[in-house]
């Protein structure tokens, strides 16, 4: 009977259909089939890839593994799909390059900014006359009789005016001239604000000019500034600086270009804001050049230098000032240039956005970061490292040495090299010992306020009907020759700010990438899910079923005594 059972099996290893249990017959047949040569996992992976290509939603991919088409057709679709991938990758790389290298875009604010949110520009005015003639002649006269003691003032006068030294001046050591001596000398020889400013009208109301204007130390000497905030809001430690001690009759607000005005800030606190547009709601001043007192000028011309700047900056008069000649009436139409940023702009690295927030860069002397304040500080540090001194108008401490005549050549080279360094850090003069000087990094402020202006002028008249408050104590002839009238005002009640924003954020990058992939390949988010599904879950399930099929067969106990009914 056992012989019959043995013969009942087929020679190819399969069990006859008369096997009583179908599941056992299936498992037995599968177990006797030889597995693929590369193993179960390799077979399942190939099967998953083929299954993905046939059922994927990507355009053209299902033809690659279609067994019902010819090899030429499949090759055509392989090439087409590869070209689509290449073009999509190329365009996506361009989008990614813009996202990483050009993330900033400048646009106009959709909402106009009213004048109540914009401070009126700070106005610094300097007489080109560096020293009053009467004071200079008195210094020269006293120096002839006082010997070395009287030569100290004459040496400072000649240095200030760029003239050659005389007599005992060579015996005066520059180290003996302290900052207090130089400050007292400059206050003595400069034209004071109450003499330069004859009349001041602010929104058509008359004010004392010495209340509106305060003396300011600049590279043109002591000048007069309107609408600048207190020193406590300009400098980090104003008491430790060697600057002019100035008192302000009006209260100041902690205004910055980044934070703007505090909520509910009083209108009559510094910095002031214009009440509206037009000449009658701006600033009108009458200036006295006093040509008879000219002794030495910073230029070959005579008159005034004027700079418009924001209220927390120290202007550079020599490089950026506009000129106003006596005998003219000029109108300056102000155009504020405002730069703001969006909230998401903070997430862009500083190297890519090419601007600096106030919290990212702290200055040594100035309390508020602006590009001009940073440049002036950097010039001071650069000159100090190169010449072991600073120029008198630069930010400094009480112990810092002031550059004299012997340091003039070194200071000029340092300033020139500094200007080059602000443009390109590599263009630094090799003749200066500035290897220890750090890079300035004076990038524009992300939130900034500056002013442009358009100036027109006409000749003053010497007629007899000139208002008396314009003349002061002078006559019409003196007025037309020595004085100038200046009007500064806005022409609009609202202005549009510029906004720095993201050209390509992550959302824009994702949208552009998805659009290109959809255009060339029909790719979507679910296409990625399909790939993950076929390479993970479906592959695991295929391997698991494969392992179940190849597992050893456990004998099934039959309740009957004989396993095969046909053997009885």
């Amino acid at each position: 009977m056992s012989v019959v059972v043995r013969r009942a099996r087929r020679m190819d290893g399969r069990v006859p259909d008369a096997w009583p249990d179908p599941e056992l017959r299936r498992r037995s047949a599968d177990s006797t089939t030889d597995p693929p040569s590369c193993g179960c996992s390799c077979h399942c992976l190939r099967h998953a890839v083929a299954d993905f290509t046939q059922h994927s939603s990507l355009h053209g991919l299902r033809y690659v593994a279609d067994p019902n088409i010819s090899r030429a057709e499949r090759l055509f679709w392989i090439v087409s799909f590869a070209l689509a991938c290449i073009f999509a990758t190329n365009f996506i790389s361009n989008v990614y390059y813009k996202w990483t290298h050009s993330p900033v875009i400048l646009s106009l604010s959709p909402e106009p900014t009213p004048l109540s949110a914009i401070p009126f520009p700070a106005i610094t005015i300097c007489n080109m006359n560096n020293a009053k003639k009467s004071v200079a002649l008195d210094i020269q006269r006293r120096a002839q009789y006082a010997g070395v003691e009287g030569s100290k003032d004459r040496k400072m006068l000649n240095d200030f005016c760029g003239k050659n030294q005389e007599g005992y001046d060579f015996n005066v050591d520059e180290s003996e001239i302290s900052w207090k001596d130089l400050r007292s000398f400059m206050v003595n020889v400069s034209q004071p604000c109450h003499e330069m400013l004859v009349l001041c009208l602010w929104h058509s109301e008359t004010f004392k000019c010495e209340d509106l204007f305060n003396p300011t130390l600049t590279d043109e000497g002591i000048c007069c500034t309107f609408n600048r905030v207190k020193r406590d809001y300009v400098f980090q430690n104003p008491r430790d600086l060697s600057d002019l001690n100035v008192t302000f009759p009006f209260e100041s607000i902690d205004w910055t270009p980044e934070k703007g005005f505090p909520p509910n800030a009083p209108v009559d606190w510094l910095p002031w804001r214009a009440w509206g547009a037009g000449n009658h709601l701006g600033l009108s001043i009458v200036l006295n050049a006093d040509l008879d007192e000219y002794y030495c000028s910073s230029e070959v011309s005579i008159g005034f230098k004027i700079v418009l700047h924001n209220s927390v900056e120290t202007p550079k008069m020599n490089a950026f000032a506009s000129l106003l000649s006596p005998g003219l009436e000029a109108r300056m139409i102000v155009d504020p240039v405002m730069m703001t940023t969006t909230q998401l702009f903070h997430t862009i690295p500083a190297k890519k956005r090419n601007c600096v927030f106030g919290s990212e860069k702290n200055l040594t002397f100035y309390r508020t970061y602006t590009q001009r304040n940073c440049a002036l500080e950097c010039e001071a540090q650069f000159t100090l490292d190169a010449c072991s001194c600073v120029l008198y108008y630069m930010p400094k401490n009480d112990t810092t040495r002031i550059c004299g005549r012997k340091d003039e050549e070194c200071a000029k080279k340092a300033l020139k090299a500094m200007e080059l360094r602000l443009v390109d850090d590599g263009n630094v003069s090799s003749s200066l010992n500035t290897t220890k000087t750090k890079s300035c990094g004076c990038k524009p402020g992300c939130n900034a306020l500056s002013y442009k202006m358009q100036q027109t002028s006409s000749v003053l008249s010497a007629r007899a009907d000139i208002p008396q408050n314009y003349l002061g104590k002078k006559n019409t002839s003196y007025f037309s020759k020595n004085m100038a009238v200046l009007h500064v005002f806005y022409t609009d009640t609202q202005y549009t700010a510029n906004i720095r924003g993201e050209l390509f954020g992550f959302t824009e990058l994702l949208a552009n990438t998805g659009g290109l992939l959809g255009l060339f390949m029909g790719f979507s988010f679910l296409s990625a899910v399909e790939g993950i599904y076929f390479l993970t879950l479906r592959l695991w399930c295929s391997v698991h079923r494969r392992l179940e099929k190849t597992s050893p067969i456990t004998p099934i106990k039959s309740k009957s005594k004989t396993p095969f009914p046909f053997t009885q």
Side-chain angles (χ1 to χ4, degrees):
M1 185 178 299
S2 61
V3 175
V4 176
V5 174
R6 285 195 300 268
R7 291 181 177 177
R9 292 183 179 271
R10 299 282 301 272
M11 295 299 297
D12 55 1
R14 288 182 295 175
V15 183
D17 295 339
W19 197 280
D21 193 338
E23 177 63 22
L24 182 61
R25 185 171 63 251
R26 181 187 62 80
R27 291 176 58 187
S28 176
D30 292 339
S31 63
T32 57
T33 304
D34 294 332
S37 59
C38 63
C40 177
S41 300
C42 182
H43 175 78
C44 292
L45 180 60
R46 288 200 305 268
H47 179 73
V49 172
D51 199 13
F52 171 72
T53 57
Q54 293 179 2
H55 297 88
S56 174
S57 60
L58 295 179
H59 296 172
L61 191 60
R62 59 190 180 91
Y63 296 106
V64 173
D66 190 356
N68 298 322
I69 62 177
S70 63
R71 291 184 178 181
E73 291 175 303
R74 276 183 284 179
L75 180 61
F76 170 80
W77 284 109
I78 291 174
V79 173
S80 300
F81 188 80
L83 290 177
C85 293
I86 293 173
F87 281 110
T89 303
N90 181 49
F91 286 111
I92 291 173
S93 64
N94 294 336
V95 174
Y96 181 78
Y97 181 85
K98 290 183 178 180
W99 182 56
T100 55
H101 292 80
S102 302
V104 180
I105 185 173
L106 291 179
S107 59
L108 298 178
S109 174
E111 298 181 0
T113 304
L115 287 182
S116 58
I118 308 172
F120 198 79
I123 306 172
T124 300
I125 305 174
C126 303
N127 194 333
M128 294 185 194
N129 183 25
N130 289 335
K132 296 172 64 176
K133 186 176 181 179
S134 58
V135 178
L137 294 178
D138 184 63
I139 291 175
Q140 297 282 9
R141 184 172 54 255
R142 286 189 289 106
Q144 293 178 357
Y145 299 99
V148 178
E149 293 296 328
S151 296
K152 182 184 292 187
D153 288 341
R154 188 170 64 180
K155 180 177 177 58
M156 288 187 289
L157 176 64
N158 292 332
D159 288 346
F160 203 58
C161 293
K163 296 185 177 182
N164 295 327
Q165 305 298 331
E166 303 178 14
Y168 289 105
D169 298 349
F170 293 101
N171 298 324
V172 178
D173 190 357
E174 291 182 350
S175 60
E176 298 177 1
I177 301 176
S178 64
W179 162 245
K180 293 182 179 179
D181 296 331
L182 182 58
R183 180 175 59 186
S184 300
F185 165 79
M186 294 174 60
V187 171
N188 187 32
V189 301
S190 300
Q191 185 186 29
C193 294
H194 68 273
E195 292 183 5
M196 182 174 67
L197 299 161
V198 178
L199 175 66
C200 296
L201 298 175
W202 172 235
H203 47 72
S204 298
E205 296 183 9
T206 303
F207 285 81
K208 291 183 178 180
C209 293
E210 54 267 29
D211 291 340
L212 296 183
F213 285 82
N214 290 284
T216 304
L217 192 63
T218 69
D219 54 351
E220 284 288 325
I222 297 179
C223 302
C224 304
T225 301
F226 168 80
N227 204 29
R228 195 186 191 199
V229 296
K230 287 185 176 181
R231 297 171 70 248
D232 295 341
Y233 294 129
V234 176
F235 299 105
Q236 295 277 9
N237 301 301
R239 295 183 179 180
D240 298 335
L241 297 179
S242 55
D243 196 23
L244 300 178
N245 295 322
V246 181
T247 59
F248 287 76
F250 299 99
E251 293 293 334
S252 295
I253 297 174
D254 187 12
W255 175 89
T256 62
E258 186 170 339
K259 298 179 181 178
F261 287 98
N264 303 321
V267 181
D268 56 345
W269 284 25
L270 294 172
W272 287 313
R273 289 162 275 183
W275 289 9
N279 182 22
H280 61 293
L281 294 178
L283 176 69
S284 297
I285 52 178
V286 179
L287 303 168
N288 182 14
D290 199 2
L291 300 183
D292 294 336
E293 284 287 344
Y294 262 64
Y295 178 75
C296 61
S297 176
S298 59
E299 304 290 343
V300 295
S301 58
I302 57 175
F304 306 94
K305 287 185 175 182
I306 304 172
V307 167
L308 305 184
H309 55 96
N310 69 50
S311 301
V312 294
E313 287 182 337
T314 299
K316 291 189 67 176
M317 306 299 298
N318 192 24
F320 304 108
S322 300
L323 303 181
L324 177 62
S325 299
L328 297 178
E329 181 178 13
R331 291 192 171 195
M332 287 187 176
I333 300 175
V334 181
D335 186 14
V337 180
M338 297 167 288
M339 186 64 68
T340 59
T341 58
T342 59
Q343 292 293 333
L344 296 177
F345 198 72
H346 292 260
T347 60
I348 301 177
K351 293 182 179 179
K352 295 181 180 180
R353 55 177 142 89
N354 199 30
C355 68
V356 178
F357 288 100
S359 59
E360 295 176 341
K361 188 175 181 63
N362 295 323
L363 301 180
T364 304
F365 296 99
Y366 289 99
R367 188 169 177 264
T368 303
Y369 177 87
T370 66
Q371 190 175 24
R372 288 188 178 181
N373 287 345
C374 177
L376 192 58
E377 263 197 22
C378 200
E379 287 180 0
Q381 186 62 45
F382 197 84
T383 308
L384 181 62
D385 294 339
C387 310
S388 301
C389 64
V390 297
L391 297 175
Y392 68 90
Y393 62 87
M394 293 179 174
K396 55 193 175 299
N397 296 321
D398 291 331
T399 58
T400 307
R401 188 175 72 87
I402 307 299
C403 294
R405 174 62 69 87
K406 66 179 182 180
D407 305 305
E408 183 178 1
E409 190 66 25
C410 178
K412 288 182 179 180
K413 289 183 179 180
L415 289 178
K416 185 176 181 179
M418 185 64 237
E419 293 295 334
L420 294 175
R421 188 167 188 173
L422 290 175
V423 177
D424 184 2
D425 284 347
N427 294 332
V428 183
S429 177
S430 59
S431 61
L432 297 174
N433 185 17
T434 57
T435 56
K436 297 181 180 180
T437 304
K438 296 181 180 180
S439 175
C440 297
C442 292
K443 296 182 179 181
C446 294
N447 296 276
L449 175 63
S450 59
Y451 300 90
K452 293 182 179 180
M453 62 92 175
Q454 299 177 0
Q455 181 176 341
T456 59
S457 60
S458 62
V459 180
L460 290 177
S461 174
R463 66 180 187 271
D465 58 347
I466 298 175
Q468 187 59 40
N469 58 348
Y470 278 56
L471 295 176
K473 297 181 181 180
K474 307 298 181 179
N475 54 37
T476 56
S477 177
Y478 183 92
F479 175 80
S480 61
K481 182 180 179 181
N482 293 270
M483 293 188 179
V485 180
L486 177 64
H487 308 280
V488 185
F489 57 93
Y490 293 112
T491 57
D492 297 319
T493 57
Q494 293 179 335
Y495 289 90
T496 302
N498 298 316
I499 298 181
R500 282 190 177 100
E502 284 186 312
L503 175 62
F504 276 95
F506 180 76
T507 303
E508 288 77 14
L509 176 67
L510 187 63
N512 281 273
T513 302
L516 291 170
L517 290 175
L519 175 65
F520 287 97
M521 304 167 57
F523 183 88
S524 66
F525 174 77
L526 292 180
S527 300
V529 174
E530 284 181 354
I532 297 174
Y533 163 70
F534 277 100
L535 295 178
T536 56
L537 181 60
R538 187 149 182 167
L539 178 62
W540 180 83
C541 292
S542 299
V543 173
H544 183 69
R545 287 195 299 265
R546 191 78 176 176
L547 292 176
E548 285 184 349
K549 292 178 182 180
T550 58
S551 60
I553 302 176
T554 55
I556 301 177
K557 295 182 179 180
S558 177
K559 294 182 180 180
S560 60
K561 295 181 180 179
T562 57
F564 302 105
F566 59 83
T567 58
Q568 293 180 351

